[in-house]
Amino acid sequence: MMKRALVLLLTFAVLNTVANAAPADSIGPFLGKWKLDPAHSRLTDQMKVGAAGPNTYTLNFSGDNVETIVADGKDHPALYGSTFSITVQDDRHWKGVRKTNGRITIIGLWELSPDGKTLTDNFTGYRDNGTTSNLHYIYQRIAGPAPDGKTSGFVGTWESTTEDVNSPQELEVKAFEGDGLSFVYAGGQVVQSLHFDSKDYPGSGPGAPKGYVSSGHRISDRVVDRVDKIDGKTLYSQEIEVSADGKTLTMTVHIPGREKPDLMVFNRE
């Protein structure tokens, strides 16, 4: 993932691909193992925190996917069958925990600067196979002052200014039934096997959310376009391109409601 903006899935998977019916030899440029190059990637994240009543907040990490959570340290129903809890440690420190089927999948440690203008997120994802991924983000408040003109704690709109990927992110692409591709992320936690025919293909593996599908088409021998959805709702679209020398795979990710795309650059292993 990878991407904090894809916070609900980011840990387990959101790196898959698609295209239109094509000869088997045209899949060759995509095949192999790829490793994320953080130095050349740009992962601009945006999130919104709103006030929804006494000690209750709305969380929006992507598009129109909004969760309403009471900040009482207890697990509350959240998106895609998960639960989410917010523990208020003090005025400047929150702890968010997401669980799926009772198992912790994400822990986010938020720290607000004394002047209320900067938010730091130490974000760790936990996979079924025992491995973890870690992102360290620094956000700047871009909207959300209180009526008196002062900043209002964590409530507001936040956009990342820096991000550190503190764990390796690897992607493997395999051939699938002749002219298709299987994209495997996080050691098989999510596998997307599909043909290039613009049809929806379901994800598989222990990290694949229910209702998760991808569709897309081929743009050229080295470029495909893809749309990923859950229960019919678009999570993001992306263009996936392999360089002419075959050494680099670049994903340009467009998330609904955001102006700036993410750029994820992978080097061939």
Side-chain angles (χ1 to χ4, degrees):
M1 276 135 171
M2 303 191 25
K3 207 2 223 108
R4 175 69 169 76
L6 303 173
V7 63
L8 302 180
L9 306 171
L10 298 179
T11 305
F12 303 109
V14 220
L15 299 176
N16 326 311
T17 243
V18 295
N20 276 323
D25 59 0
S26 68
I27 67 174
F30 297 92
L31 302 182
K33 293 184 178 181
W34 305 87
K35 186 174 183 178
L36 183 68
D37 181 355
H40 292 92
S41 299
R42 184 183 68 245
L43 307 179
T44 302
D45 188 41
Q46 188 179 102
M47 63 181 180
K48 298 177 182 179
V49 181
N55 205 36
T56 304
Y57 301 90
T58 57
L59 306 176
N60 183 340
F61 298 111
S62 176
D64 58 357
N65 296 310
V66 178
E67 302 168 285
T68 301
I69 307 296
V70 179
D72 58 3
K74 299 178 181 180
D75 295 336
H76 295 276
L79 292 173
Y80 312 125
S82 68
T83 63
F84 197 84
S85 67
I86 297 175
T87 300
V88 178
Q89 298 171 326
D90 58 43
D91 290 344
R92 295 197 300 111
H93 296 86
W94 280 11
K95 179 180 180 180
V97 178
R98 189 175 299 281
K99 296 179 182 178
T100 302
N101 297 324
R103 185 182 68 82
I104 293 176
T105 55
I106 292 169
I107 293 179
L109 302 177
W110 289 6
E111 180 176 355
L112 191 68
S113 62
D115 62 8
K117 296 180 179 180
T118 302
L119 186 156
T120 301
D121 180 11
N122 188 348
F123 170 86
T124 302
Y126 299 84
R127 306 186 184 103
D128 281 350
N129 64 3
T131 61
T132 63
S133 60
N134 181 259
L135 297 172
H136 187 261
Y137 271 92
I138 298 177
Y139 294 86
Q140 181 178 5
R141 186 191 298 274
I142 61 173
D148 61 4
K150 299 179 181 179
T151 55
S152 183
F154 288 93
V155 172
T157 300
W158 301 89
E159 185 170 274
S160 64
T161 57
T162 63
E163 69 285 321
D164 294 322
V165 180
N166 300 322
S167 56
Q169 303 290 345
E170 295 181 327
L171 170 68
E172 184 175 7
V173 185
K174 301 178 179 180
F176 173 66
E177 295 182 351
D179 62 356
L181 293 175
S182 290
F183 280 67
V184 183
Y185 178 67
Q189 291 294 294
V190 169
V191 180
Q192 188 75 36
S193 298
L194 44 119
H195 292 283
F196 303 154
D197 55 9
S198 297
K199 297 179 181 179
D200 286 342
Y201 288 86
S204 62
K210 183 179 179 181
Y212 175 47
V213 300
S214 297
S215 64
H217 66 281
R218 179 174 293 280
I219 297 175
S220 71
D221 287 346
R222 295 186 293 104
V223 184
V224 294
D225 177 78
R226 188 187 86 223
V227 177
D228 284 7
K229 295 176 286 186
I230 287 186
D231 295 334
K233 182 180 294 185
T234 297
L235 292 172
Y236 54 83
S237 62
Q238 61 183 242
E239 295 175 1
I240 304 172
E241 179 176 1
V242 178
S243 61
D245 62 8
K247 296 180 179 180
T248 303
L249 184 149
T250 301
M251 295 182 173
T252 304
V253 184
H254 300 271
I255 299 174
R258 296 188 190 171
E259 295 182 3
K260 299 178 181 179
D262 287 322
L263 190 68
M264 303 180 72
V265 178
F266 292 81
N267 295 323
R268 186 181 294 278
E269 293 187 337

